[in-house]
Amino acid sequence: MNTPTHLLIGAAVLARPAEDAADRHRNAAILIGALLADSAIFVLFVWARLYQGISEQALWGEVYWQEPWQTLVAIGNSLPLYLALLVCGLLARSQVAVAFSAAALLHLAFDLPFHHDDAHPHFWPFSDWRFRSPLSYWDVAHYGNLVALAEVGLAALLIALLWRRFRTPAVRGVLLLAFASYIAVPAYFTLMLG
C-alpha cells in the first residue's frame, strides 16, 4: 500500500480534531507512526537517486535488496517492536506512545495483504519469514492494477471522511495534497519507468 494511504488510514481510525496540546501531540504521533515503516525506503530513495545517481531500475532491482537497507526496512516493519511499544505505552498511560504504536500497527496490518515479491519480514528480529501475499499493491502480475484501483477508492473515501471531521484550513490543505499525490505518483512512475 502507498504511504499516503497509510497516513489516511491512521488519521481516519485514530485522529480527532485537536482541542489542546495533548491532542496535537497525539495526532502528530499518529502521523509519525503511520509513516515510520516506510521511512527507510524514503531515505534509500533520496540517497540512491539524488546523492548516488542510481537509476530507478538499479535502485529497486538491486540496491533495495542489499544491506543495510533490508535490515532498516525490517526494523521499520517489525510487528514485535511496535507491539512492545504499545504495551509500554499502555503501562505508562501515554496517549502519544499508544497512538504512535497503534498507527504503526495499522500500517503493518494494511501492508501485509498487499506485498508479494517485496514482502517485509514483519516478525523481525525473531524471524526473517515473509508472508508473500497473492496480492500486490503495485505488481500487475499479482493483481496490482485492481488493488491500485481499490486503494484509490479507499483513499477518496478516507479523504472525504477526514474533510468532514477536520475543518481547519491547514488540515484541509494537507488533504488536498494527499489527493494530488494519487495523481502525481502514478504519473511519475509512468514517466520514469515507461
Side-chain angles (χ1 to χ4, degrees):
M1 191 165 272
N2 291 294
T3 305
T5 309
H6 288 298
L7 294 166
L8 291 169
I9 291 168
V13 173
L14 301 167
R16 299 292 174 261
E19 296 181 11
D20 58 24
D23 291 340
R24 286 190 294 279
H25 292 149
R26 183 199 65 239
N27 286 346
I30 291 164
L31 294 177
I32 294 167
L35 179 65
L36 190 62
D38 289 343
S39 63
I41 297 169
F42 288 117
V43 170
L44 165 64
F45 182 83
V46 169
W47 171 81
R49 295 291 291 145
L50 299 181
Y51 294 106
Q52 299 296 313
I54 296 171
S55 72
E56 290 277 340
Q57 290 78 10
L59 170 60
W60 303 118
E62 299 169 29
V63 178
Y64 172 79
W65 301 103
Q66 299 171 356
E67 291 299 336
W69 303 110
Q70 282 297 292
T71 298
L72 293 171
V73 169
I75 293 168
N77 284 276
S78 174
L79 185 62
L81 176 64
Y82 294 123
L83 286 173
L85 288 171
L86 178 63
V87 169
C88 290
L90 290 169
L91 291 173
R93 298 180 191 266
S94 169
Q95 286 187 15
V96 169
V98 169
F100 171 85
S101 304
L105 290 166
L106 275 171
H107 183 126
L108 301 186
F110 279 88
D111 255 2
L112 192 66
F114 302 113
H115 283 264
H116 182 76
D117 291 334
D118 58 347
H120 304 303
H122 288 295
F123 298 100
W124 183 94
F126 303 112
S127 172
D128 287 330
W129 178 81
R130 300 163 192 254
F131 171 69
R132 299 195 189 281
S133 173
L135 303 174
S136 170
Y137 76 100
W138 65 271
D139 187 352
V140 295
H142 298 282
Y143 309 101
N145 50 347
L146 299 175
V147 172
L149 286 173
E151 182 177 353
V152 169
L154 173 64
L157 288 172
L158 294 172
I159 289 169
L161 181 144
L162 291 166
W163 188 273
R164 289 179 49 102
R165 185 183 301 162
F166 293 91
R167 305 211 181 262
T168 64
V171 172
R172 287 187 167 180
V174 170
L175 291 172
L176 288 174
L177 287 174
F179 179 74
S181 76
Y182 288 93
I183 298 166
V185 171
Y188 169 81
F189 281 105
T190 299
L191 292 172
M192 294 303 293
L193 301 176

